Short mmCIF file of all heavy atoms in Angstrom, two decimals:
data_model
loop_
_atom_site.label_atom_id
_atom_site.label_comp_id
_atom_site.label_asym_id
_atom_site.label_seq_id
_atom_site.Cartn_x
_atom_site.Cartn_y
_atom_site.Cartn_z
N VAL A 206 1.19 13.56 -8.46
CA VAL A 206 0.80 14.95 -8.09
C VAL A 206 1.93 15.92 -8.20
O VAL A 206 1.79 16.99 -8.77
CB VAL A 206 0.20 14.93 -6.66
CG1 VAL A 206 0.00 16.36 -6.19
CG2 VAL A 206 -1.09 14.13 -6.65
N ASN A 223 -13.22 18.51 -15.14
CA ASN A 223 -13.95 17.27 -14.77
C ASN A 223 -15.46 17.60 -14.65
O ASN A 223 -16.30 16.83 -15.05
CB ASN A 223 -13.39 16.72 -13.48
CG ASN A 223 -12.06 16.06 -13.66
OD1 ASN A 223 -11.62 15.79 -14.80
ND2 ASN A 223 -11.37 15.75 -12.53
N PRO A 254 -15.27 29.48 -2.19
CA PRO A 254 -14.11 29.43 -1.21
C PRO A 254 -14.57 29.97 0.14
O PRO A 254 -15.41 30.86 0.22
CB PRO A 254 -13.12 30.38 -1.86
CG PRO A 254 -13.90 31.33 -2.70
CD PRO A 254 -15.20 30.64 -3.07
N SER A 316 -4.89 16.14 -8.94
CA SER A 316 -4.18 17.44 -8.76
C SER A 316 -4.75 18.21 -7.59
O SER A 316 -4.11 19.19 -7.11
CB SER A 316 -4.36 18.27 -10.05
OG SER A 316 -5.71 18.58 -10.27
N ALA A 341 -10.62 11.06 1.19
CA ALA A 341 -9.26 10.61 1.31
C ALA A 341 -8.39 11.75 1.86
O ALA A 341 -8.67 12.91 1.67
CB ALA A 341 -8.73 10.15 -0.10
N VAL A 388 -10.32 31.08 -12.57
CA VAL A 388 -11.41 30.65 -13.45
C VAL A 388 -11.36 31.46 -14.76
O VAL A 388 -11.51 30.90 -15.90
CB VAL A 388 -12.77 30.82 -12.75
CG1 VAL A 388 -13.90 30.56 -13.75
CG2 VAL A 388 -12.87 29.85 -11.60
N TRP A 442 -23.45 35.13 -5.71
CA TRP A 442 -22.80 34.40 -6.81
C TRP A 442 -22.58 35.35 -7.98
O TRP A 442 -23.40 36.19 -8.28
CB TRP A 442 -23.70 33.23 -7.31
CG TRP A 442 -23.86 32.17 -6.27
CD1 TRP A 442 -24.95 31.90 -5.50
CD2 TRP A 442 -22.89 31.19 -5.92
NE1 TRP A 442 -24.73 30.85 -4.66
CE2 TRP A 442 -23.41 30.35 -4.92
CE3 TRP A 442 -21.56 30.94 -6.34
CZ2 TRP A 442 -22.73 29.31 -4.33
CZ3 TRP A 442 -20.88 29.86 -5.79
CH2 TRP A 442 -21.47 29.07 -4.79
N GLU A 458 -21.34 34.81 -39.01
CA GLU A 458 -22.32 35.29 -38.08
C GLU A 458 -21.79 36.36 -37.16
O GLU A 458 -22.53 36.97 -36.36
CB GLU A 458 -22.78 34.11 -37.16
CG GLU A 458 -23.35 32.91 -37.91
CD GLU A 458 -23.57 31.73 -37.01
OE1 GLU A 458 -23.22 31.84 -35.82
OE2 GLU A 458 -24.12 30.71 -37.49
N GLY A 488 -7.86 18.58 -41.75
CA GLY A 488 -6.86 17.73 -42.39
C GLY A 488 -6.11 16.90 -41.39
O GLY A 488 -6.71 16.28 -40.51
N ASP A 529 2.76 30.00 -22.68
CA ASP A 529 4.23 30.11 -22.44
C ASP A 529 4.92 29.28 -23.52
O ASP A 529 5.26 28.12 -23.33
CB ASP A 529 4.60 29.54 -21.07
CG ASP A 529 6.04 29.76 -20.74
OD1 ASP A 529 6.69 30.57 -21.45
OD2 ASP A 529 6.55 29.15 -19.77
N ILE A 568 3.12 21.52 -38.43
CA ILE A 568 2.07 21.84 -39.38
C ILE A 568 1.22 23.02 -38.91
O ILE A 568 0.90 23.91 -39.70
CB ILE A 568 1.17 20.62 -39.63
CG1 ILE A 568 1.96 19.46 -40.30
CG2 ILE A 568 -0.10 20.93 -40.42
CD1 ILE A 568 1.26 18.14 -40.34
N PHE A 578 0.56 36.12 -42.57
CA PHE A 578 1.04 36.84 -43.72
C PHE A 578 -0.15 37.31 -44.61
O PHE A 578 -0.15 38.42 -45.10
CB PHE A 578 1.97 35.95 -44.58
CG PHE A 578 3.37 35.93 -44.09
CD1 PHE A 578 4.03 34.72 -43.88
CD2 PHE A 578 4.05 37.10 -43.85
CE1 PHE A 578 5.35 34.69 -43.45
CE2 PHE A 578 5.35 37.08 -43.40
CZ PHE A 578 6.00 35.87 -43.21
N ASN A 646 17.60 50.01 -68.36
CA ASN A 646 19.01 49.60 -68.37
C ASN A 646 19.55 49.44 -66.94
O ASN A 646 20.74 49.05 -66.79
CB ASN A 646 19.87 50.62 -69.12
CG ASN A 646 19.84 51.99 -68.49
OD1 ASN A 646 18.90 52.28 -67.71
ND2 ASN A 646 20.85 52.82 -68.75
N PHE A 700 20.76 43.43 -54.82
CA PHE A 700 20.88 44.60 -53.98
C PHE A 700 22.39 45.01 -54.01
O PHE A 700 23.28 44.18 -53.78
CB PHE A 700 20.49 44.33 -52.56
CG PHE A 700 18.98 44.23 -52.41
CD1 PHE A 700 18.34 42.95 -52.30
CD2 PHE A 700 18.17 45.34 -52.34
CE1 PHE A 700 17.02 42.81 -52.18
CE2 PHE A 700 16.78 45.23 -52.22
CZ PHE A 700 16.21 43.94 -52.10
N LYS A 746 33.89 56.99 -59.89
CA LYS A 746 32.82 57.03 -60.86
C LYS A 746 31.55 57.55 -60.26
O LYS A 746 30.50 57.70 -60.90
CB LYS A 746 32.57 55.69 -61.54
CG LYS A 746 33.69 55.13 -62.31
CD LYS A 746 33.38 53.78 -62.91
CE LYS A 746 33.34 52.70 -61.86
NZ LYS A 746 33.17 51.33 -62.40
N TYR A 832 32.73 56.99 -41.57
CA TYR A 832 33.67 56.36 -40.68
C TYR A 832 33.98 57.26 -39.51
O TYR A 832 33.67 58.48 -39.52
CB TYR A 832 34.99 56.04 -41.40
CG TYR A 832 34.83 54.95 -42.43
CD1 TYR A 832 34.75 55.28 -43.77
CD2 TYR A 832 34.82 53.58 -42.06
CE1 TYR A 832 34.62 54.26 -44.79
CE2 TYR A 832 34.70 52.59 -43.02
CZ TYR A 832 34.62 52.95 -44.37
OH TYR A 832 34.48 51.97 -45.32
N GLU A 846 44.36 74.72 -37.81
CA GLU A 846 45.56 75.32 -38.40
C GLU A 846 45.21 75.86 -39.80
O GLU A 846 45.65 76.95 -40.16
CB GLU A 846 46.63 74.24 -38.52
CG GLU A 846 47.27 73.83 -37.20
CD GLU A 846 48.23 72.67 -37.36
OE1 GLU A 846 48.51 72.28 -38.53
OE2 GLU A 846 48.71 72.14 -36.34
N THR A 873 58.54 81.55 -46.04
CA THR A 873 58.37 82.61 -47.03
C THR A 873 59.65 82.87 -47.76
O THR A 873 60.72 82.90 -47.13
CB THR A 873 57.88 83.91 -46.31
OG1 THR A 873 56.77 83.61 -45.50
CG2 THR A 873 57.52 84.97 -47.36
N GLU A 888 36.69 99.55 -42.13
CA GLU A 888 37.05 98.48 -41.21
C GLU A 888 37.75 98.98 -39.95
O GLU A 888 38.02 98.24 -39.03
CB GLU A 888 37.96 97.48 -41.91
CG GLU A 888 37.29 96.71 -43.03
CD GLU A 888 38.16 95.72 -43.69
OE1 GLU A 888 39.22 95.39 -43.13
OE2 GLU A 888 37.85 95.29 -44.80
#
Side-chain angles (χ1 to χ4, degrees):
V206 170
N223 287 347
S316 65
V388 171
W442 294 105
E458 302 171 358
D529 187 14
I568 293 170
F578 278 129
N646 62 338
F700 287 100
K746 296 181 288 186
Y832 292 101
E846 289 174 8
T873 307
E888 294 181 16

